[in-house]
Amino acid sequence: MPGSTFTTALKTAATYIDVAANAHGEEKAHLVLQALKRAHQASPHLVEVGPGGGSAVAYLAAQLSAAQPPVDDARLTLVEVPGVTSASLDQAVDAFNRVGTCRLLTGFAQDIGTLLPELADVISASALLHEVYSYGGGYAGLHSMIRTLPTVLKPGGMFAYRDVYAVKSRSLHDRTQQTYTARSWLRFLRMFLPQYLDEGMHPYHSASDLVVLRQDSRIVRPEELTEGTSVVASAPVGIFREVQRHYITLRDHIWRSGVLGVSPYLEGPLSGDWIDARSGHKRVHYVPTDTDWLPASQKAMLLALSEPYMDHHTVDGDIFDECTDIALNAFLDRAETGDGECAEVWRSWVTREGRETYAYMTLDSLLAAVAVHSTEAAQEQRTVLMPVRLADVMRRDRAYYNRYLRRALPNPLKDAKQMVLFANVPVTDTDSLGDGMHCLQQWCSKGSLARVYAAINQGG
C-alpha cells in the first residue's frame, strides 16, 4: 500500500507483527484448507498476501504435515510489503519448508499481477481489501485489486478472504441511533471522531451521512462532548461500526503497552482460559507493570480482586474489564492533554490504526463488488469470483468482545470476522455459475444480483 499514509515503521514493529497481528492462525488458514480439499492438484501453488507474523503459515505447515497421507509438495508464495520483517514469520517459513517449499516476495498487493511468477491455485488474505481501501486509493484501488485477482488465479482456483464483519444492514449508510453513557466511551468519541471524519479514508461524505450528537437535547459537535452526560448519536451504522472497532483495538493497544499498570496475556494458551467460552466469559491472566501516574488505589483495587497464579495474577474477565475501563478513562484524560507516556501511546495507535476504515462494505456489497469487478479483468477467458457453496460464506463471532460490548453499550453491533471462499469460475461454466448465483441469493439484494447477472452476461 504505497504512500506516506501507510505507517510502515509502526506496522512492522515487533510488538505488532510478532504479537498483536499474529493470532488466529487456524481461522486465517481454514478456508485455504477447504480450498485444497477441493482443488485435487498435485503440487498446489498457494499464495498468501500479507502474512504478517506467519500464524496462518505455521498452522498450514502443521496441518499439511499431519494429513493422511502427508502433503509434502505444496508450494507457498508469500507477498509482503517492502520493509516488513518478522521473526515469527521466519520461524513459520522454516516450518513450512519442512513440508513443502516457501518463498517470500516483497511488493504491494496492488502489484500482485506482476509479482507472481506463475498462476496460483489458492490465494489467501486477511484484511487485505481493508488495507487497500485505507491506503491504496479507496474504492478505486479496491476495485483495481479485485480486477487483478482473476488474472493471477487458475480457472477454478480460489481466493480465501477474511476481514472485519460489517453490519447486518444492507448498506453501511443506513442511519440508526446509538447511546453512549460510559465516561471512557464519551471521551473516546470526543478524541476519535473529529480526526477520523476529517482525516480518515472513509465513504461518509454526503449530507445524509452527517453525524448528529445530542446531549441534554442539544446538538453538539464531537469535540464539544462532555463526559458527565449521556449522548444520543444519530449517524450511518457504518460510523458506529468504526467507533466500536477502533475502541476495541485501542483498548488492546493500551493493554499491550502496559501503561495502565497491567499487561494481560492476549495471545497464547493463557489468553484462552475460558470460564464459559460460549458466552465469552474468561479469566484474564496478567502481570503488574511499573507505571507512576495511576493512583495507588486503582492499582490496589485490581490486585485485591485477583489471585496469584504462578508468576502472575489472574482475575475474572468481567472484573478486569470494569477496572481497566476506569483506568482507561484516566488514560484518555491524560492523552487528550498531551501528558507524557499516555499521549505517546495514543499517538502511536492513531498513527497506525486511527484513520483506517475497517468495515467499508456489507456482505451484500462485498460479494457483489468482487463478482462484478472480477468480470472486468483483462484476460481472454472471462471468469467471475463468487462463492459456489453455502458453506463458502461464514462468520466467526468474537464472543469475548461481544460480551464486553453488551455490558458497555445499550445496543452494540456484533463484533466478528466474515470469511468468504471465492471460486474463479469461467463464465462458460454454466453449472458452477448456477451454484454461485444460488449462493449469492442467500446474502445479496435483488439489485446486487441483477448487477452480477448483467456483468456476467455482458457481451453475450
Side-chain angles (χ1 to χ4, degrees):
M1 279 63 70
S4 60
T5 57
F6 185 71
T7 55
T8 302
L10 288 170
K11 289 282 187 179
T12 60
T15 52
Y16 183 68
I17 291 294
D18 291 331
V19 180
N22 194 32
H24 302 293
E26 179 275 333
E27 185 176 283
K28 294 175 182 176
H30 174 76
L31 291 179
V32 176
L33 292 170
Q34 298 304 308
L36 282 175
K37 292 177 182 178
R38 288 153 58 173
H40 304 296
Q41 291 284 344
S43 187
H45 180 212
L46 314 177
V47 175
E48 183 177 358
V49 184
S55 60
V57 177
Y59 186 82
L60 273 176
Q63 292 300 302
L64 294 179
S65 64
Q68 294 298 326
V71 177
D72 57 5
D73 56 355
R75 295 170 296 127
L76 176 61
T77 300
L78 306 176
V79 178
E80 188 55 276
V81 173
V84 174
T85 59
S86 163
S88 56
L89 178 60
D90 292 340
Q91 296 171 1
V93 169
D94 290 340
F96 198 94
N97 277 325
R98 291 192 286 270
V99 298
T101 58
C102 183
R103 57 182 167 181
L104 176 64
L105 304 178
T106 58
F108 295 103
Q110 296 93 316
D111 301 323
I112 193 173
T114 58
L115 287 173
L116 296 182
E118 61 176 309
L119 298 180
D121 293 291
V122 182
I123 296 176
S124 68
S126 182
L128 168 66
L129 301 184
H130 137 73
E131 296 274 5
V132 171
Y133 177 88
S134 294
Y135 301 112
Y139 284 116
L142 189 61
H143 297 161
S144 177
M145 177 71 200
I146 294 171
R147 285 191 288 269
T148 302
L149 287 172
T151 69
V152 292
L153 272 173
K154 294 177 182 177
M158 296 185 174
F159 173 50
Y161 188 61
R162 167 185 175 271
D163 209 334
V164 172
Y165 172 71
V167 293
K168 195 173 182 179
S169 303
R170 286 296 183 188
S171 170
L172 288 166
H173 297 270
D174 290 347
R175 292 192 70 84
T176 188
Q177 283 192 337
Q178 178 65 278
T179 302
Y180 299 92
T181 58
R183 286 180 174 268
S184 60
W185 282 83
L186 290 166
R187 196 182 293 273
F188 177 74
L189 280 175
R190 187 171 68 209
M191 297 172 67
F192 168 75
L193 263 184
Q195 64 86 25
Y196 175 75
L197 294 175
D198 290 345
E199 304 172 27
M201 174 64 74
H202 61 80
Y204 308 106
H205 301 291
S206 71
S208 60
D209 290 333
L210 184 66
V211 178
V212 179
L213 306 174
R214 287 183 172 85
Q215 281 190 313
D216 295 326
S217 301
R218 182 174 64 89
I219 295 178
V220 297
R221 296 183 301 168
E223 55 269 31
E224 296 173 343
L225 288 172
T226 60
E227 300 97 60
T229 307
S230 297
V231 60
V232 177
S234 173
V237 66
I239 288 182
F240 293 129
R241 160 58 72 211
E242 293 303 315
V243 168
Q244 188 174 293
R245 184 97 284 272
H246 278 88
Y247 185 97
I248 289 293
T249 64
L250 173 67
R251 194 179 72 144
D252 286 356
H253 175 78
I254 293 171
W255 281 355
R256 285 191 176 92
S257 74
V259 72
L260 295 188
V262 294
S263 180
Y265 290 89
L266 300 181
E267 290 81 24
L270 292 178
S271 67
D273 183 7
W274 296 103
I275 297 173
D276 184 343
R278 187 172 183 178
S279 69
H281 192 193
K282 65 162 59 174
R283 293 180 187 86
V284 173
H285 296 254
Y286 72 92
V287 294
T289 62
D290 293 328
T291 185
D292 57 5
W293 66 271
L294 268 179
S297 59
Q298 288 196 22
K299 298 179 185 179
M301 177 176 61
L302 183 59
L303 285 172
L305 296 170
S306 304
E307 298 289 339
Y309 185 86
M310 299 175 66
D311 60 346
H312 59 276
H313 291 77
T314 184
V315 65
D316 179 281
D318 292 347
I319 294 174
F320 185 83
D321 289 344
E322 188 168 352
C323 291
T324 53
D325 260 15
I326 295 172
L328 194 146
N329 183 56
F331 164 92
L332 291 174
D333 180 31
R334 297 174 74 93
E336 191 173 22
T337 58
D339 190 357
E341 183 182 9
C342 295
E344 181 55 37
V345 171
W346 166 265
R347 280 194 298 268
S348 67
W349 172 80
V350 167
T351 304
R352 191 184 72 202
E353 296 183 61
R355 295 172 177 84
E356 293 186 358
T357 292
Y358 293 115
Y360 47 84
M361 280 193 265
T362 62
L363 189 57
D364 174 12
S365 59
L366 172 66
L367 295 175
V370 171
V372 169
H373 294 291
S374 65
T375 66
E376 301 166 350
Q379 54 183 353
E380 288 187 17
Q381 183 183 11
R382 293 178 67 233
T383 59
V384 55
L385 286 170
M386 59 198 316
V388 294
R389 299 182 182 179
L390 295 181
D392 289 346
V393 182
M394 64 184 68
R395 186 184 73 199
R396 293 280 185 94
D397 293 346
R398 294 289 182 260
Y400 169 66
Y401 289 137
N402 286 323
R403 181 184 181 89
Y404 165 73
L405 291 166
R406 285 193 300 270
R407 298 170 70 242
L409 300 173
N411 52 329
L413 302 173
K414 186 174 289 295
D415 193 87
K417 294 291 184 180
Q418 60 190 24
M419 301 158 63
V420 184
L421 184 58
F422 296 93
N424 193 31
V425 180
V427 296
T428 55
D429 184 350
T430 55
D431 289 341
S432 295
L433 285 179
D435 292 339
M437 292 302 292
H438 173 70
C439 186
L440 292 183
Q441 286 177 344
Q442 312 305 310
W443 292 279
C444 291
S445 64
K446 291 183 179 179
S448 294
L449 289 172
R451 287 177 55 216
V452 174
Y453 183 83
I456 292 172
N457 289 279
Q458 186 176 13

